[in-house]
Amino acid sequence: PQGPAFANSFFSPLNGKLVGYGDLEPGDLIAFRDTYEGEFPKGCITHVGIWVGQGAMIDRSTAGEPVRRLELDGWWKERFVVGLRPRELSERR
């Protein structure tokens, strides 16, 4: 079930290696907090993207929008929580 703990629980060492912004590699999942107002508690992960390198991610902002490449400006960097290198990628490197 989705809810405030769902995204937070996915970004766990059980699912791969946790990495900071400066250690991101293409293919890492990246989590952001407080990206919109809603039912989620403040500080909760509310958006996830895939790091593609050179300061950008691939994401889809809502179900009604297409997938896009997005440069991470200060607004996004302020909301960055953690990166996750999925176990399969970690084991290949």
Side-chain angles (χ1 to χ4, degrees):
Q2 299 226 3
F6 184 73
N8 287 346
S9 67
F10 181 78
F11 282 84
S12 154
L14 298 174
N15 293 319
K17 180 181 178 184
L18 298 178
V19 295
Y21 189 85
D23 295 319
L24 291 170
E25 295 181 7
D28 290 346
L29 302 176
I30 48 179
F32 301 89
R33 62 175 168 71
D34 305 328
T35 57
Y36 66 90
E37 293 182 19
E39 300 174 12
F40 294 102
K42 189 155 183 63
C44 184
I45 293 172
T46 54
H47 193 80
V48 174
I50 302 170
W51 181 254
V52 293
Q54 300 177 342
M57 71 173 167
I58 299 294
D59 81 330
R60 187 174 86 171
S61 61
T62 67
E65 297 292 323
V67 172
R68 64 186 177 174
R69 182 181 193 277
L70 182 68
E71 302 291 326
L72 299 186
D73 60 14
W75 188 88
W76 285 101
K77 287 180 182 177
E78 285 176 12
R79 288 159 178 76
F80 175 81
V81 176
V82 69
L84 176 77
R85 186 159 305 132
R87 187 179 337 277
E88 290 77 14
L89 291 177
S90 295
E91 291 170 358
R92 290 183 192 168
R93 294 183 180 150

